[in-house]
Amino acid sequence: MQKFHYIVGLNYEYDKTDPILFVDQTDGSIHPWSPFQTKHHTDNLAFYAELEYRFSKNLVGVGGFRLEYNDDTYIKFLYSEAYRSPTFLEKYADVPTVVVGDVNLKREKIQTLELAIDSKINSKNTLQLTLYILRLKDEITRRAASGGGSEYYNSKGLQNYGAELAINSILNAKTELMFNTSFVDGTNKQTDEHLNFIAHYTANAMLTYHFSKFWSATFSEQFVGEKHYHTTSGEEGSIGSYNLANLSLSYFKKYF
């Protein structure tokens, strides 16, 4: 049994812009609404790796650990870290009445911690449960600028945490049920307030009945919980929860 597996790679990106794209053909001047008033270029070099090592028959390390409790159940503990470099526009945009970039922007850093259980309960039922925490540092976002437009800057970021549950079940030879629900909450680290417009609770259910080899009917329902918000001026409010239902009839046949 091979114990060690790996995937490694190298990625290089080069971007360049030239205001000649916005030159007035009559007098050679640069249009004042051009997002770039001078030549610029950026380059980015990235390295990535994914490593896996099997410590024993049931324990595998993959940037975390996966415990193979038995042939039908996996318990995973994963940690991942990534980043996003600022785009060309975020660094070099230069239209004061609209948006202005910042050449000193830092990269966004994303850290994720995840604990998951994936289990085949029996031949007809499976269950997946995931708990996670996500932290976004140095988030690149915009704020009002003195020139009347907006400007890009690095905020302190945000933190999300939540749970997801999914169940798939074959009720009988003709009927299948899929159900999932989730809870999520988070904090804006810049303001120490809860994130805006987040539905803390969502749920989806789908019931499918196969009339024959070619025909099936599916009823699905989606629930989205109440969303709360607050503005910079101090206003607070909420958007009510809602349900969506759908009934569909499907025909499937192979012709080739």
Side-chain angles (χ1 to χ4, degrees), residues 8-26:
V8 296
L10 196 65
N11 183 62
Y12 177 72
E13 297 177 353
Y14 179 84
D15 293 298
K16 179 181 180 181
T17 190
D18 195 318
I20 192 172
L21 298 173
F22 305 91
V23 168
D24 189 315
Q25 298 301 313
T26 58

Side-chain angles (χ1 to χ4, degrees), residues 33-106:
W33 285 7
S34 163
F36 308 110
Q37 299 294 315
T38 58
K39 294 181 180 181
H40 296 289
H41 77 273
T42 61
D43 53 9
N44 182 57
L45 181 64
F47 172 80
Y48 62 90
E50 181 178 320
L51 309 177
E52 178 178 304
Y53 185 81
R54 181 173 291 274
F55 294 94
S56 65
K57 178 181 178 181
N58 296 326
L59 184 61
V60 182
V62 282
F65 291 94
R66 182 177 75 239
L67 176 62
E68 300 174 357
Y69 184 74
N70 54 43
D71 291 341
D72 298 320
T73 301
Y74 296 86
I75 301 173
K76 297 182 288 186
F77 178 77
L78 302 175
Y79 172 79
S80 63
E81 187 169 321
Y83 67 87
R84 183 183 76 84
S85 297
T87 66
F88 218 86
L89 187 65
E90 291 167 343
K91 294 185 70 173
Y92 296 113
D94 188 17
V95 186
T97 57
V98 181
V99 63
V100 176
D102 183 353
V103 296
N104 296 314
L105 284 175
K106 301 176 183 177

Side-chain angles (χ1 to χ4, degrees), residues 44-253:
N44 182 57
L45 181 64
F47 172 80
Y48 62 90
E50 181 178 320
L51 309 177
E52 178 178 304
Y53 185 81
R54 181 173 291 274
F55 294 94
S56 65
K57 178 181 178 181
N58 296 326
L59 184 61
V60 182
V62 282
F65 291 94
R66 182 177 75 239
L67 176 62
E68 300 174 357
Y69 184 74
N70 54 43
D71 291 341
D72 298 320
T73 301
Y74 296 86
I75 301 173
K76 297 182 288 186
F77 178 77
L78 302 175
Y79 172 79
S80 63
E81 187 169 321
Y83 67 87
R84 183 183 76 84
S85 297
T87 66
F88 218 86
L89 187 65
E90 291 167 343
K91 294 185 70 173
Y92 296 113
D94 188 17
V95 186
T97 57
V98 181
V99 63
V100 176
D102 183 353
V103 296
N104 296 314
L105 284 175
K106 301 176 183 177
R107 295 172 173 173
E108 289 183 344
K109 303 176 186 68
I110 303 170
Q111 298 171 307
T112 305
L113 194 63
E114 180 179 309
L115 175 64
I117 299 175
D118 190 338
S119 179
K120 182 180 178 181
I121 300 172
N122 53 44
S123 61
K124 295 183 178 181
N125 300 279
T126 62
L127 178 146
Q128 294 174 311
L129 175 63
T130 303
L131 307 176
Y132 69 89
I133 298 175
L134 183 149
R135 177 71 192 273
L136 174 61
K137 297 181 180 180
D138 297 322
E139 179 187 15
I140 299 174
T141 185
R142 291 194 292 181
R143 62 187 172 191
S146 57
S150 61
E151 62 183 3
Y152 287 102
Y153 77 108
N154 288 111
S155 75
K156 293 181 180 179
L158 55 87
Q159 180 169 292
N160 276 10
Y161 56 88
E164 299 175 355
L165 172 67
I167 298 173
N168 295 330
S169 181
I170 300 175
L171 303 181
N172 54 50
K174 293 186 175 183
T175 311
E176 301 173 38
L177 174 66
M178 289 185 287
F179 172 80
N180 64 74
T181 185
S182 66
F183 167 79
V184 63
D185 202 352
T187 304
N188 184 324
K189 292 298 182 178
Q190 187 73 20
T191 61
D192 287 326
E193 297 176 332
H194 285 284
L195 295 177
N196 270 338
F197 300 106
I198 293 292
H200 294 303
Y201 301 98
T202 61
N204 298 275
M206 185 167 65
L207 183 67
T208 300
Y209 181 77
H210 300 275
F211 293 101
S212 66
K213 184 178 179 180
F214 306 114
W215 288 95
S216 65
T218 299
F219 175 76
S220 61
E221 184 164 4
Q222 178 185 27
F223 168 77
V224 178
E226 188 178 23
K227 300 177 182 180
H228 296 273
Y229 68 87
H230 48 266
T231 66
T232 54
S233 61
E235 179 187 356
E236 295 186 3
S238 64
I239 300 173
S241 61
Y242 62 87
N243 289 75
L244 296 175
N246 182 66
L247 178 62
S248 63
L249 185 65
S250 302
Y251 175 79
F252 174 80
K253 182 175 176 63

